[in-house]
Amino acid sequence: MKSLTTIILVTLFYCFKCEEETLKLSIYYETLCPDSIRFFRNQLNSTYEKIGSSIEVDFIPYGFATQYKADGKWTFHCQHGTRECSGNKYHACELAQENGEEKDVQFLDCSMRSRDPTSSKQLQICAENVGVNFTSINECFKNGQGDELLIKYGERTNAVSPKISYIPTIIINDVFSQEVQNNAEFDLLNTVCKHLSKKPPACL
Ligand SMILES: *[C@@H]1O[C@H](CO)[C@@H](O)[C@H](O)[C@H]1NC(C)=O
Ligand SMILES: *[C@@H]1O[C@H](CO)[C@@H](O)[C@H](O)[C@H]1NC(C)=O
């Protein structure tokens, strides 16, 4: 009898867990890349508004940057120049604050929707609109923490297999698929929906 109770409890536990299916959506991007900007503007925001509770978004703001250490100081080179490195670092610093995923999405979306996603003035406005602490983002940007964050994002970007050849790269549940990559860039909602076994109403 006792073991039957255990079986029932375990079954119930797993059923509650499986109710809350979430899919991990990793987005490897860079702040001045036109394809990344288009993806944020046209896909991410609207998909997140519809099925955000079924997704865990994992942002990796690095792209095709490179990094090296000289005289104890880190230097980064970015595909679209120094400003892009700044933008990536601001994004990394906001993500490190644990403001919650919804605010992260709103902040990054506001940045990528603005005239210059990397401008500190613009990012301060975004921070105020969304309600995240820009003073603390700026401290992280200036005090070296932002560099450490970018280094980690660089290591993650370089560790993707097969090697990333296009930005944005979009990966579902940690396994690269060319089919997901091709479809997600222009139809994120349906691509994510296809991967959810329990479809939220917005998928149907
Ligand atoms: C999506 O964009 C709209 C319009 O810019 C904005 O009001 C909304 O907060 C955004 N939603 C998210 C989840 O970022
Ligand atoms: C914002 O962050 C700064 C620096 O970390 C801190 O001193 C300040 O109290 C914070 N402001 C709010 C409103 O939390």
Side-chain angles (χ1 to χ4, degrees), residues 165-184:
S165 61
Y166 184 82
I167 294 291
T169 281
I170 298 136
I171 296 181
I172 288 180
N173 292 337
D174 294 318
V175 181
F176 178 84
S177 142
Q178 190 63 51
E179 194 189 341
V180 165
Q181 173 66 20
N182 295 346
N183 296 333

Side-chain angles (χ1 to χ4, degrees), residues 45-46 48-49 102 105-107 109 113:
N45 173 294
S46 59
Y48 195 78
E49 282 188 343
E102 206 167 319
V105 172
Q106 284 170 4
F107 178 80
D109 180 68
R113 228 171 254 282

Side-chain angles (χ1 to χ4, degrees), residues 139-164:
E139 277 176 9
C140 158
F141 183 89
K142 293 191 166 136
N143 71 10
Q145 191 200 344
D147 291 339
E148 299 297 329
L149 295 167
L150 283 187
I151 290 160
K152 292 219 178 73
Y153 283 132
E155 285 167 355
R156 276 198 61 192
T157 302
N158 293 330
V160 172
S161 170
K163 199 165 161 44
I164 285 184

Side-chain angles (χ1 to χ4, degrees), residues 97 132-137 139:
Q97 278 190 0
V132 299
N133 187 335
F134 188 73
T135 308
S136 136
I137 293 174
E139 277 176 9

Side-chain angles (χ1 to χ4, degrees), residues 79-144:
Q79 197 190 5
H80 303 92
T82 324
R83 274 170 49 237
E84 179 166 76
C85 293
S86 298
N88 293 349
K89 202 197 294 192
Y90 277 121
H91 281 205
C93 284
E94 193 281 334
L95 291 167
Q97 278 190 0
E98 299 186 4
N99 292 310
E101 184 176 274
E102 206 167 319
K103 287 194 169 176
D104 291 346
V105 172
Q106 284 170 4
F107 178 80
L108 301 184
D109 180 68
C110 172
S111 162
M112 295 300 255
R113 228 171 254 282
S114 70
R115 204 140 46 94
D116 179 358
T118 70
S119 130
S120 65
K121 214 177 230 161
Q122 184 58 56
L123 290 164
Q124 182 164 11
I125 295 170
C126 288
E128 278 158 16
N129 288 348
V130 170
V132 299
N133 187 335
F134 188 73
T135 308
S136 136
I137 293 174
N138 215 19
E139 277 176 9
C140 158
F141 183 89
K142 293 191 166 136
N143 71 10

